[in-house]
Amino acid sequence: MSTTRPAFTPQFMREDGDAAPWTVLRPDGQLEEGARPTLDDAQLREACELMLFSRAFDEKGFSLQRQGRFGTFSPVRGQEASVVGAAVALDPQRDWVVPQYRELPALLRQGLPLEQFMLTFLGDPRGGLAPEGVNVLPIQIGLAAQLPQAVGLAWGLARQGRDAVVLVFCGDGASSEGDFHEACNLAGTLGAPVVFLLQNNGWAISTPRSRQSAAVTLAARAPGYGIPGSLVDGNDLLAVHEVVSDAVGRARAGDGPSLVETLTYRLGDHNTADDARRYQPADELESWAPRDPIARVLAHLRSRDLWDDEHDAAVRARIGRRIDEAVRTVEGVEPPGVDHLFAHVGEELSPRLARQRADLIASVETR
Amino acid sequence: MSTTRPAFTPQFMREDGDAAPWTVLRPDGQLEEGARPTLDDAQLREACELMLFSRAFDEKGFSLQRQGRFGTFSPVRGQEASVVGAAVALDPQRDWVVPQYRELPALLRQGLPLEQFMLTFLGDPRGGLAPEGVNVLPIQIGLAAQLPQAVGLAWGLARQGRDAVVLVFCGDGASSEGDFHEACNLAGTLGAPVVFLLQNNGWAISTPRSRQSAAVTLAARAPGYGIPGSLVDGNDLLAVHEVVSDAVGRARAGDGPSLVETLTYRLGDHNTADDARRYQPADELESWAPRDPIARVLAHLRSRDLWDDEHDAAVRARIGRRIDEAVRTVEGVEPPGVDHLFAHVGEELSPRLARQRADLIASVETR
Amino acid sequence: MSTLNMLQAINATLRAELARDERVMVLGQDVGRLGGVFRATDGLLDEFGADRVVDMPLAEAAIVGASIGLAASGLVPVAELQFLGFSHQAFHQIGAQLARMRYRSQGRFPMPVVLRAPFGGGVRTPELHSEALEAQFVQSPGLAVVTPATPADAKGLLQTAVRSSDPVLFCEPLRGYRLVTGEVPDEDCPIPFGRSRVAREGDDVTIVAWSAAVQVAEKAADVLAEEGISVMVLDLRTLVPLDETGLIEAVAATGRCVVVHEAPLSAGFGAEVVATVNDGAFWSLEAPVARVAAPDTPYPPGRIEDLFVPTVARVVAAVRATVKAG
Amino acid sequence: MSTLNMLQAINATLRAELARDERVMVLGQDVGRLGGVFRATDGLLDEFGADRVVDMPLAEAAIVGASIGLAASGLVPVAELQFLGFSHQAFHQIGAQLARMRYRSQGRFPMPVVLRAPFGGGVRTPELHSEALEAQFVQSPGLAVVTPATPADAKGLLQTAVRSSDPVLFCEPLRGYRLVTGEVPDEDCPIPFGRSRVAREGDDVTIVAWSAAVQVAEKAADVLAEEGISVMVLDLRTLVPLDETGLIEAVAATGRCVVVHEAPLSAGFGAEVVATVNDGAFWSLEAPVARVAAPDTPYPPGRIEDLFVPTVARVVAAVRATVKAG
Ligand SMILES: Cc1ncc(C[n+]2csc(CCOP(=O)(O)OP(=O)(O)O)c2C)c(N)n1
Ligand SMILES: Cc1ncc(C[n+]2csc(CCOP(=O)(O)OP(=O)(O)O)c2C)c(N)n1
Ligand SMILES: [Mg+2]
Ligand SMILES: [Mg+2]
């Protein structure tokens, strides 16, 4: 491969200040000149299915929420390549994902049952439990707080000789928080095996990327921490996978952390409580539609005869069944009660907590 | 001038990764080839006197502290060029200094009476008052907290049409705090007229610069905020002055903030409570001695016949008298009392505070 | 008089304060084009321009820190923290910086800064959005902590906050934003800090509350009235400064007291209420002061938050027990 | 038994815990080569190596955040915050993250993390180094708040802290570091959390205190003994969990109570003590519970801090008044 991306000589350092992201798959689904996909056919189809799953779940989640059957949640819509491309660069057996809150398919890839994720957004505390062996931390609402935690996790795993890499997600908005800086800098000094996946989807609720920072690219922050940085087309599954795989490889080899910025776009509302039409320029939104990450992979797979209508229908049916099954399961879960206020607050209940629990149970019973 | 420093094309962006700081005055006091000092003769002598003042005060402060006549304080020793070179790039009438805690000569240049600074380190609350018209914020103990404050100050002054620039200091240690990041990034988005002067003196108490960050230079963080960054020899009064003057000029012209890293060295203990011999390698310390910022300016001035023994003696005598006078004044100040706990907590005392005040006065009287 | 909900009262007050004093600015996350995630700043950007109504990067410490600098420069920033839960990211800029700047500078830099933040539960938000953290700010000498419960108080207290030369943490009851409506004077009506409000007169027992708990107390009082228990409801309105005299008199008048708050019990501001009552009305007390609060557990997810946040039923039960005691 | 001061007890305990369990790590600013600004970690780097005793960059949120991740990975981080005043920079990682991770993950990620921090005044530190901020952490459900007053308790409570699977904020009394000495058992002596200690028996009145205020209380008790007033001193030792039973019994036994703490009065943990006593020992009280605390002002500079921090004289006066009351 002899294209221009010098692995981890980030584009933003080019003299002309141009910040062209790394691309493998063109919007029309054709490979860039000389590019060689880093995913084999089976992997590609699997990744594509995960992206479709994510999109289908977004739609289901929105409609359930509108019916009052689901809580406020943030769809992945538009960012599927960025999330899935990064996630499939991991080995779920040993690697970890530390999410922000908009990365459902990465959690699924790690083995988190969809039901757990759904329970969380149904407001059930039990959703927070990732079964033992599923290498994920809970979703994070306090923006950027997950970043130093991921560094500690990577550092701790390395210290114990585990051959693990931690992939941690954050948004362009979260990257303005102090925790982003402290985490990247700490990772640099420790050489911790962590990959910071900064999803620049153009928005933090209503705040456009242009007001979030004057930096030409956010990946340009990497040299300030002495770590490699890269800018990648976040709507290009193969580009994301390639760059993140490089970063994961470096981390696994003991060469420390990396910062990867995926340039992508939030196709619509921030969450089910938002109305993006108040602030998202219609023409900007439209300009991103042709770059839809799923359409791009599908076009590619179809052009290589790896996907046809029949397969498409089968995949979508399978996805639909799985989601419906999860909806049924979580809707059948017995509602949580007073015990779920007190369970897991600490190893044991102090006498004061035990009394509060007893009092609450009594007050609920007399209601 | 045709040397290699491309104004505000920071050195750390050079392809070879070399981070050579900008120098004007060589350690032997001779100007670099083709360099032209940006301070005229009178200004140079004045700046040199301020540096000597600072050094003399450090010594006095240490000896007073050892006698129990002064509190814990952090000397400027070794960093005089970095502090003074930056400060003299300002117009005290309209510009502001926001200090960390190790920048006495910058505060003096702005017009802060030495007595105020001394009162602070004597543990007297009244030291915190900078007289109206002296454009400084109080010294900052919560590291990096001053940085977003300085951005707000610069932004507010600009919004009110004042022609002001804010020079804010922080250390290499403080630059690891989240507030550093949030402040630089905010300044970039606002285009606020602020100059971040990052004094990299090699140490944060016992933590060497190498453990503080893996970045080759800390100035390399500037592109991550979309602002110009520069690395400068912090023991070179003229280099610091030149680079900071550029930055001040840009800010004044409405071209926004800059980050300037001065490479300097803390010649000895962190403060009067510290014993740097526990951790500061003797050879490192020695290697910096020949680069003493004051010796360098003195050599330069002498070589240009702008300084001779007689002048030297006169200056030192004047400095000694001024410091002695300040010591006498502050030692004669009536000790603060209960009123100084309550004054300036808020515009008025709530009834609860008024009662607490009365109670405390009563309890002191019955003692 | 106009009938407004909390949000409308706050929005109108911000608009009027921006118009009244050109030093006033509004800043925060999503306060501009979006008008805030709850629309508290709706329309202000269009009316006053991007110089005075400013969308800030996602960095709470920078929002508060910059407000300190803006105030030092002579302006009057009214900053929004999107939720009080995210004040923690700025905690070091609040107690140790904003609240202390006047003292640190010995009066040179008063801090006319308002930090507005919605807080409190019962509305099924995601994690960290609902915590009642008001007590954590009481130990920030120099900072006023203001907790209006009604639209009229929201207006009057916000006017005072904006016009004060001292910093104010202005905690807005999320639950009441749209639900709580009331008559709001059209004219200027600044309410001095440190004056509690008797929300309802009563003889048998005094319920002390603030913010959204006031409405819970009032509903409990309705229920109890039917049982013949006459309940006084005292709305503290501001926790700092605290209306000691009003509190002590209100409790002494009935001899019995129940405090209600949304925060967990331990070290909630209810403890300070009990301690103040103990100090000032001990000899009038006919029963121990009862506290109705959330348990000492994390604020839970939506499906069980109604078990966590004090309910009318729990307040009623506590009042009954207090009236019977002694 | 050995006679040690607080620092020696802490240092020896850290050394022993590092030796006992290789999952234990020490991390923080200047904890390595320097051995901490107070030498609490002196010698540990040489003995256990730079992998287990780690100098961290100057970033408190990263220190606490990384500790959360280390714990999730299976290690046992004991992090030092150089001063409790700088815990504010990490506040968002403490209450909303560290304390809540076990609950958030429904038990998957217990958090065996200790945050050690010196605090408290009387030693002429620069600004922000002396604040008694312990009460601000009580409303962090899931977090234990531990405040030893003696070297033996420092050892016993620190052992428990390190061995606990829950997070602990371990507040060390700066003033007592070198001044307070005592007998410390050489063998293992973990002290369970939530058990107060009767530091001195007495009949007339109970002083409740923790951390450096315990010694102030004891000195006051000495003075009062000469006047014939017999004072019980109760050292709470841990604020969370609180020894409700011990506290209530100790106050009920004398019928009178004075709480002493270094933090400002309003919403200090003393308020919780009063509220708990009000709840559990109301009918035994013969006088209101008195609080001796700092005023609600910023922690002042060194020259006037002795006016701010509660003195023996103020405690003595409060006890006298309490004994006379009623
Ligand atoms: C510390 C903190 N501040 C504010 C919020 C409120 N909030 C939730 S999502 C969001 C925008 C996040 O933007 P970004 O990081 O770009 O992620 P995206 O939603 O685009 O995926 C904000 C401000 C929060 N959750 N946490
Ligand atoms: C937020 C915060 N954390 C920790 C400290 C304790 N402390 C005081 S000075 C210092 C080192 C500062 O290093 P640097 O910023 O490089 O400044 P220098 O002392 O070298 O001038 C530390 C850790 C503090 N004052 N504030
Ligand atoms: Mg975003
Ligand atoms: Mg330094």
Side-chain angles (χ1 to χ4, degrees):
Chain A
M1 197 176 73
S2 66
T3 59
T4 50
R5 185 178 71 92
F8 289 101
T9 305
Q11 287 71 7
F12 54 80
M13 290 190 74
R14 276 160 40 177
E15 289 280 311
D16 55 11
D18 185 9
W22 179 238
T23 311
V24 172
L25 207 54
R26 294 196 307 240
D28 63 4
Q30 296 309 302
L31 291 174
E32 294 276 1
E33 273 288 309
R36 217 164 29 123
T38 48
L39 288 168
D40 67 24
D41 297 351
Q43 288 171 325
L44 249 174
R45 279 160 47 124
E46 205 188 302
C48 184
E49 180 161 342
L50 191 49
M51 293 166 77
L52 284 167
F53 192 105
S54 176
R55 185 69 61 96
F57 183 78
D58 281 350
E59 278 154 21
K60 185 72 174 190
F62 251 86
S63 87
L64 288 174
Q65 197 276 341
R66 294 290 184 253
Q67 300 163 43
R69 291 162 65 196
F70 204 51
T72 302
F73 90 107
S74 292
V76 187
R77 190 181 174 83
Q79 302 175 221
E80 293 88 350
S82 166
V83 178
V84 172
V88 296
L90 299 183
D91 171 4
Q93 301 299 317
R94 48 182 173 165
D95 297 330
W96 285 70
V97 163
V98 178
Q100 189 160 291
Y101 48 71
R102 201 190 288 284
E103 299 88 10
L104 169 63
L107 301 175
L108 296 176
R109 171 92 191 335
Q110 289 293 101
L112 187 78
L114 178 61
E115 286 80 359
Q116 292 306 105
F117 187 82
M118 290 191 71
L119 277 176
T120 294
F121 289 94
L122 277 165
D124 192 315
R126 290 165 295 185
L129 179 68
E132 199 63 48
V134 176
N135 295 336
V136 300
L137 292 195
I139 64 159
Q140 181 58 260
I141 300 298
L143 289 164
Q146 72 275 19
L147 298 168
Q149 297 170 10
V151 176
L153 177 62
W155 177 23
L157 293 168
R159 258 217 47 209
Q160 293 167 87
R162 317 258 189 86
D163 196 22
V165 175
V166 176
L167 172 69
V168 59
F169 288 91
C170 80
D172 49 316
S175 80
S176 295
E177 290 279 0
D179 277 6
F180 173 87
H181 174 73
E182 298 193 10
C184 291
N185 191 51
L186 177 63
T189 68
L190 296 170
V194 57
V195 179
F196 297 98
L197 200 292
L198 196 172
Q199 292 199 80
N200 173 358
N201 65 359
W203 296 92
I205 307 185
S206 76
T207 310
R209 163 62 184 82
S210 57
R211 284 205 70 88
Q212 201 61 248
S213 176
V216 179
T217 78
L218 300 172
R221 292 186 182 155
Y225 309 119
I227 68 179
S230 230
L231 182 67
V232 56
D233 181 341
N235 285 16
D236 176 343
L237 178 77
L238 289 170
V240 174
H241 178 261
E242 182 180 328
V243 171
V244 175
S245 294
D246 277 6
V248 168
R250 286 171 40 81
R252 203 173 320 277
D255 293 335
S258 311
L259 172 63
V260 177
E261 175 183 359
T262 59
L263 258 178
T264 178
Y265 196 77
R266 198 190 78 204
L267 287 177
D269 297 340
H270 166 67
N271 64 21
T272 46
D274 182 39
D275 178 7
R277 285 165 306 181
R278 285 178 72 98
Y279 55 82
Q280 208 175 34
D283 52 346
E284 185 183 289
L285 186 60
E286 270 158 38
S287 79
W288 279 87
R291 286 180 271 178
D292 188 295
I294 298 184
R296 193 184 301 196
V297 189
L298 280 176
H300 176 71
L301 287 171
R302 281 181 186 270
S303 78
R304 290 178 51 209
D305 289 331
L306 294 168
W307 201 278
D308 60 18
D309 288 352
E310 198 183 331
H311 184 69
D312 194 77
V315 164
R316 289 179 199 264
R318 184 158 64 225
I319 288 171
R321 281 194 304 274
R322 175 70 188 97
I323 293 175
D324 287 344
E325 179 201 342
V327 172
R328 270 194 309 277
T329 306
V330 297
E331 292 194 336
V333 167
E334 187 151 340
V338 170
D339 270 337
H340 297 95
L341 291 176
F342 292 87
H344 307 301
V345 174
E347 188 168 346
E348 26 183 79
L349 286 187
S350 68
R352 175 166 275 203
L353 273 168
R355 191 160 44 73
Q356 293 179 349
R357 182 171 164 282
D359 287 353
L360 263 186
I361 289 175
S363 89
V364 171
E365 277 163 3
T366 61
R367 247 201 326 216
Chain B
M1 197 175 70
S2 68
T3 58
T4 50
R5 185 179 71 93
F8 290 99
T9 304
Q11 286 71 4
F12 53 79
M13 288 191 74
R14 273 159 42 175
E15 290 279 313
D16 55 12
D18 184 10
W22 180 239
T23 313
V24 172
L25 207 54
R26 294 195 305 239
D28 63 3
Q30 297 308 301
L31 291 174
E32 294 277 1
E33 274 287 310
R36 216 162 32 120
T38 48
L39 288 168
D40 68 24
D41 296 351
Q43 290 170 323
L44 248 175
R45 280 162 42 127
E46 206 188 300
C48 184
E49 180 161 344
L50 192 49
M51 291 166 78
L52 285 166
F53 192 103
S54 176
R55 186 70 61 95
F57 182 79
D58 280 350
E59 278 154 23
K60 187 70 172 190
F62 250 85
S63 87
L64 288 175
Q65 196 275 341
R66 294 292 185 251
Q67 299 163 45
R69 292 163 63 196
F70 204 51
T72 304
F73 89 108
S74 291
V76 187
R77 190 180 174 83
Q79 304 176 218
E80 292 88 350
S82 166
V83 178
V84 173
V88 295
L90 299 184
D91 171 4
Q93 301 299 317
R94 50 183 170 162
D95 297 330
W96 286 70
V97 163
V98 178
Q100 189 160 291
Y101 48 71
R102 200 190 289 284
E103 299 87 10
L104 170 62
L107 301 176
L108 296 176
R109 172 95 191 331
Q110 290 292 102
L112 187 77
L114 178 61
E115 286 79 359
Q116 293 305 105
F117 187 82
M118 292 192 68
L119 277 176
T120 293
F121 288 94
L122 277 165
D124 192 314
R126 290 165 295 185
L129 180 68
E132 199 64 48
V134 176
N135 294 337
V136 300
L137 293 195
I139 63 160
Q140 180 59 259
I141 300 299
L143 290 165
Q146 72 275 20
L147 298 169
Q149 296 170 10
V151 176
L153 177 62
W155 178 23
L157 293 167
R159 256 216 50 207
Q160 292 167 85
R162 316 257 190 86
D163 197 21
V165 176
V166 175
L167 172 69
V168 59
F169 288 91
C170 79
D172 49 319
S175 80
S176 295
E177 291 279 2
D179 277 6
F180 172 87
H181 174 74
E182 298 194 7
C184 291
N185 192 52
L186 177 63
T189 67
L190 297 169
V194 57
V195 179
F196 297 99
L197 201 291
L198 196 172
Q199 292 198 81
N200 173 359
N201 66 357
W203 296 92
I205 308 185
S206 76
T207 309
R209 163 64 183 80
S210 57
R211 283 203 70 88
Q212 201 61 248
S213 178
V216 179
T217 78
L218 299 172
R221 292 185 181 156
Y225 309 119
I227 68 179
S230 231
L231 182 67
V232 56
D233 181 342
N235 285 16
D236 176 344
L237 178 77
L238 289 171
V240 173
H241 179 260
E242 182 180 327
V243 170
V244 174
S245 294
D246 278 5
V248 168
R250 285 173 41 80
R252 201 169 327 271
D255 292 335
S258 311
L259 171 63
V260 177
E261 175 183 359
T262 59
L263 258 179
T264 179
Y265 196 77
R266 198 189 77 204
L267 287 177
D269 296 341
H270 166 67
N271 64 20
T272 46
D274 182 40
D275 177 7
R277 285 166 305 182
R278 285 178 70 98
Y279 55 80
Q280 207 175 36
D283 52 346
E284 185 182 289
L285 187 60
E286 270 158 38
S287 79
W288 279 86
R291 286 181 271 179
D292 187 296
I294 298 184
R296 193 184 302 195
V297 188
L298 280 176
H300 176 71
L301 287 172
R302 281 183 186 269
S303 77
R304 290 178 52 207
D305 289 332
L306 294 169
W307 202 276
D308 60 19
D309 288 351
E310 198 183 331
H311 184 67
D312 194 80
V315 164
R316 289 178 199 265
R318 184 159 62 223
I319 288 170
R321 281 195 304 273
R322 176 70 188 96
I323 293 175
D324 288 343
E325 179 201 340
V327 172
R328 269 195 310 278
T329 307
V330 297
E331 291 195 334
V333 166
E334 186 147 344
V338 169
D339 269 338
H340 297 95
L341 291 176
F342 293 88
H344 306 301
V345 175
E347 189 169 345
E348 20 183 87
L349 286 187
S350 69
R352 176 167 275 203
L353 272 168
R355 191 161 43 76
Q356 292 179 352
R357 182 169 164 282
D359 287 353
L360 262 186
I361 290 174
S363 90
V364 170
E365 277 164 3
T366 60
R367 249 201 325 217
Chain C
M1 288 283 184
S2 314
T3 305
L4 303 177
N5 66 25
M6 294 290 288
L7 274 175
Q8 291 163 334
I10 290 164
N11 182 268
T13 307
L14 291 173
R15 176 172 288 109
E17 291 301 301
L18 281 159
R20 182 187 57 79
D21 182 349
E22 63 175 19
R23 297 172 310 152
V24 175
M25 286 175 69
V26 163
L27 60 154
Q29 292 158 16
D30 305 297
V31 297
R33 180 64 50 221
L34 182 62
V37 287
F38 294 103
R39 313 287 183 267
T41 57
D42 200 20
L44 303 183
L45 172 67
D46 284 341
E47 196 165 334
F48 300 99
D51 255 15
R52 297 187 60 202
V53 179
V54 187
D55 276 325
M56 295 283 281
L58 216 166
E60 288 78 10
I63 292 172
V64 179
S67 297
I68 293 170
L70 287 166
S73 85
L75 297 174
V76 178
V78 180
E80 177 176 301
L81 296 169
Q82 205 159 70
F83 290 88
L84 188 59
F86 306 128
S87 65
H88 282 181
Q89 267 78 358
F91 210 71
H92 57 291
Q93 287 285 359
I94 299 174
Q97 300 295 331
L98 175 62
R100 204 187 292 247
M101 185 56 110
R102 184 195 276 265
Y103 183 75
R104 181 179 292 150
S105 70
Q106 293 287 292
R108 169 89 188 274
F109 300 110
M111 284 287 122
V113 174
V114 184
L115 306 179
R116 295 178 40 247
F119 85 120
V123 296
R124 311 278 178 275
T125 62
E127 207 193 350
L128 307 180
H129 286 63
S130 288
E131 276 75 2
L133 304 169
E134 69 275 22
Q136 290 181 331
F137 294 90
V138 173
Q139 294 219 318
S140 310
L143 183 73
V145 180
V146 177
T147 51
T150 68
D153 280 2
K155 173 173 180 179
L157 294 167
L158 186 52
Q159 284 186 333
T160 303
V162 175
R163 298 169 194 186
S164 164
S165 71
D166 287 315
V168 177
L169 179 69
F170 193 84
C171 304
E172 303 173 0
L174 189 44
R175 189 155 30 135
Y177 261 172
R178 294 198 176 80
L179 281 183
V180 176
T181 57
E183 294 289 285
V184 179
D186 296 318
E187 66 287 357
D188 254 27
C189 57
I191 299 171
F193 292 170
R195 305 259 178 93
S196 59
R197 173 179 70 94
V198 177
R200 166 194 290 247
E201 298 284 355
D203 303 318
D204 297 330
V205 56
T206 305
I207 303 184
V208 178
W210 53 93
S211 193
V214 171
Q215 278 87 29
V216 176
E218 288 178 317
K219 282 188 201 129
D222 287 340
V223 173
L224 290 156
E226 290 175 19
E227 301 176 12
I229 299 176
S230 162
V231 176
M232 180 193 302
V233 175
L234 187 77
D235 175 0
L236 289 180
R237 296 207 285 204
T238 66
L239 308 188
V240 181
L242 175 64
D243 182 6
E244 283 187 322
T245 311
L247 170 60
I248 288 165
E249 282 172 5
V251 175
T254 65
R256 296 173 193 268
C257 178
V258 174
V259 199
V260 185
H261 62 68
E262 281 199 16
L265 180 84
S266 295
F269 194 75
E272 181 57 47
V273 171
V274 178
T276 299
V277 166
N278 160 90
D279 206 46
F282 181 80
W283 303 111
S284 319
L285 282 181
E286 290 165 41
V289 182
R291 289 186 284 171
V292 181
D296 292 327
T297 66
Y299 195 100
R303 271 185 131 174
I304 45 176
E305 65 179 316
D306 292 343
L307 298 170
F308 178 87
V309 176
T311 54
V312 173
R314 286 182 59 210
V315 176
V316 166
V319 170
R320 281 193 201 123
T322 299
V323 170
K324 270 191 220 125
Chain D
M1 286 283 186
S2 314
T3 306
L4 302 177
N5 65 25
M6 294 291 288
L7 272 175
Q8 291 163 333
I10 291 164
N11 182 268
T13 306
L14 290 174
R15 176 173 287 108
E17 292 300 302
L18 280 159
R20 182 185 58 79
D21 181 349
E22 62 175 18
R23 296 172 311 151
V24 175
M25 288 175 67
V26 163
L27 60 155
Q29 291 159 15
D30 305 296
V31 297
R33 180 65 48 222
L34 182 62
V37 287
F38 294 102
R39 313 288 182 265
T41 56
D42 201 19
L44 302 183
L45 172 67
D46 284 341
E47 197 165 331
F48 300 98
D51 255 14
R52 297 187 61 201
V53 180
V54 187
D55 276 325
M56 295 283 280
L58 215 166
E60 288 78 10
I63 291 172
V64 179
S67 296
I68 293 170
L70 287 167
S73 85
L75 297 175
V76 179
V78 180
E80 178 176 300
L81 295 170
Q82 205 159 70
F83 290 88
L84 188 59
F86 306 129
S87 65
H88 281 181
Q89 268 77 359
F91 210 71
H92 57 293
Q93 287 286 358
I94 299 174
Q97 301 294 331
L98 175 62
R100 204 187 291 247
M101 185 55 109
R102 184 196 277 265
Y103 183 75
R104 181 179 293 151
S105 70
Q106 293 286 292
R108 168 88 188 275
F109 298 110
M111 284 287 122
V113 173
V114 183
L115 305 179
R116 294 178 42 247
F119 84 121
V123 296
R124 311 277 178 275
T125 62
E127 207 193 351
L128 308 180
H129 287 63
S130 289
E131 277 73 1
L133 304 169
E134 69 276 21
Q136 291 181 329
F137 293 91
V138 173
Q139 293 220 318
S140 309
L143 183 73
V145 180
V146 176
T147 52
T150 69
D153 280 2
K155 174 175 179 178
L157 293 167
L158 186 52
Q159 284 187 331
T160 303
V162 175
R163 299 170 194 187
S164 163
S165 70
D166 288 315
V168 178
L169 180 69
F170 194 84
C171 304
E172 302 173 0
L174 189 43
R175 190 158 25 140
Y177 261 170
R178 293 199 176 79
L179 281 184
V180 176
T181 57
E183 294 290 286
V184 178
D186 295 320
E187 66 288 357
D188 253 29
C189 57
I191 298 171
F193 291 171
R195 304 258 178 94
S196 59
R197 174 179 70 95
V198 177
R200 166 194 290 246
E201 298 282 357
D203 304 318
D204 297 331
V205 56
T206 305
I207 303 185
V208 178
W210 54 91
S211 193
V214 171
Q215 278 88 28
V216 176
E218 288 179 319
K219 281 187 201 132
D222 286 341
V223 174
L224 290 157
E226 289 176 19
E227 300 175 13
I229 299 176
S230 162
V231 176
M232 180 194 300
V233 175
L234 187 77
D235 175 0
L236 288 180
R237 297 209 284 202
T238 65
L239 308 187
V240 182
L242 175 64
D243 182 5
E244 283 187 322
T245 312
L247 170 60
I248 288 165
E249 282 172 6
V251 175
T254 66
R256 294 171 195 269
C257 177
V258 174
V259 199
V260 184
H261 62 68
E262 280 199 16
L265 181 83
S266 294
F269 194 76
E272 181 56 47
V273 171
V274 178
T276 300
V277 166
N278 160 89
D279 205 46
F282 182 79
W283 304 110
S284 319
L285 282 181
E286 289 166 41
V289 182
R291 289 185 285 171
V292 181
D296 292 326
T297 66
Y299 196 100
R303 272 187 131 173
I304 45 175
E305 63 179 316
D306 292 342
L307 297 169
F308 177 87
V309 176
T311 54
V312 173
R314 286 181 59 211
V315 176
V316 166
V319 170
R320 279 193 204 124
T322 298
V323 170
K324 269 189 222 126

